[in-house]
Amino acid sequence: MIGGDVSVAGTVNNTVVAVNGDVLIRSSAHIKGVIIVIGGHLQQEDGADVTNDIVSISFDNATVNSLIIGSGLILGIGALKLAASLLMLIVPVLMVALGKRKTAALVDRYRNAPRGKIFSMGFFAGLLLVAVSALLLLTIIGIPFILLIALFIIAAVAVGLTVASRVFGEQIRGTSDKPDWVRTGAGAFILISAINIPFIGLFILMALVLYSLGITTSWLESLLRNRKKSK
């Protein structure tokens, strides 16, 4: 029944379904099937014989509010994931297109660098940043420094994503004669697709963050060494 109330007083061997209506089960009723009530209320008198399951979904204010909040959260998370994916695709392409020489030199430097060393440097750098952030959270004046750390991590991920995208893009067949930004975009698309895989994508994202922190830490270390030598 859709849009109307249901009253059961006899024997029913099949499923009882009511949408946007109430269901009244009399004491003389014998229902062998499943009872499904959507958008209404179920009332069962004493003595009624119901041998199967009862599914009742009532659209009261609390349920409606929960559905609205849940739908809003799902849409919001989806919008954030889409925006993040677009940024992860656009940023490396722009970095390669606008900074051709510097980006090419950076990629050449870390293309064949030992992966284990980069990941280990990224791991320890990440631990240090987490520890410093935890200490800064204890003080109000430390909040601006936490924002700076967050910006540093975002910048590091942009650099690491650019290097990884360029390297992955070079492995794709048919892109050898394409411009650098096209190969980088193809590699970034592969990485983004992998990151969006449920559960597995989280580990891939963590690996990308560690890889990015390792590259950035190594680059900063080399800058400090060059400055010391120049002095």
Side-chain angles (χ1 to χ4, degrees):
M1 175 68 71
I2 299 177
D5 298 335
V6 177
S7 178
V8 182
T11 301
V12 178
N13 295 321
N14 298 320
T15 302
V16 177
V17 180
V19 179
N20 198 23
D22 298 333
V23 175
L24 174 60
I25 303 176
R26 302 288 185 180
S27 59
S28 58
H30 299 277
I31 303 176
K32 299 180 180 180
V34 178
I35 302 174
I36 302 175
V37 184
I38 301 175
H41 296 86
L42 173 67
Q43 182 179 355
Q44 179 178 341
E45 294 181 352
D46 295 337
D49 182 20
V50 179
T51 60
N52 219 316
D53 296 331
I54 298 175
V55 179
S56 180
I57 303 175
S58 178
F59 293 112
D60 52 11
N61 291 333
T63 304
V64 171
N65 291 336
S66 299
L67 290 175
I68 292 174
I69 294 173
S71 301
L73 287 174
I74 294 173
L75 292 175
I77 293 173
L80 287 175
K81 289 183 66 175
L82 178 60
S85 298
L86 290 175
L87 283 175
M88 292 178 69
L89 178 63
I90 293 173
V91 168
V93 172
L94 288 178
M95 291 184 67
V96 170
L98 298 178
K100 295 182 179 179
R101 293 182 179 179
K102 293 183 179 180
T103 305
L106 185 66
V107 173
D108 291 337
R109 179 175 181 176
Y110 292 102
R111 178 185 283 107
N112 298 318
R115 299 290 190 273
K117 181 179 179 181
I118 292 177
F119 276 108
S120 61
M121 292 182 69
F123 177 76
F124 288 111
L127 285 181
L128 179 62
L129 291 175
V130 170
V132 172
S133 299
L135 292 175
L136 291 174
L137 280 174
L138 300 177
T139 60
I140 298 177
I141 59 175
I143 295 178
F145 294 98
I146 295 177
L147 295 177
L148 291 176
I149 292 175
L151 291 175
F152 171 78
I153 294 174
I154 293 173
V157 171
V159 173
L161 178 62
T162 302
V163 174
S165 299
R166 176 71 178 274
V167 172
F168 275 115
E170 292 174 351
Q171 308 303 319
I172 301 175
R173 293 183 179 179
T175 61
S176 57
D177 58 340
K178 302 296 182 181
D180 293 339
W181 67 269
V182 174
R183 287 184 286 178
T184 303
F189 181 79
I190 293 176
L191 281 174
I192 294 168
S193 301
I195 290 173
N196 281 290
I197 298 175
F199 186 71
I200 298 176
L202 180 61
F203 292 97
I204 297 175
L205 179 60
M206 292 176 62
L208 177 62
V209 172
L210 294 179
Y211 180 74
S212 302
L213 288 175
I215 289 178
T216 306
T217 303
S218 176
W219 177 68
L220 292 175
E221 183 183 11
S222 64
L223 286 180
L224 293 175
R225 286 180 180 179
N226 292 334
R227 286 187 178 182
K228 288 181 179 180
K229 289 181 180 180
S230 63
K231 290 181 179 180

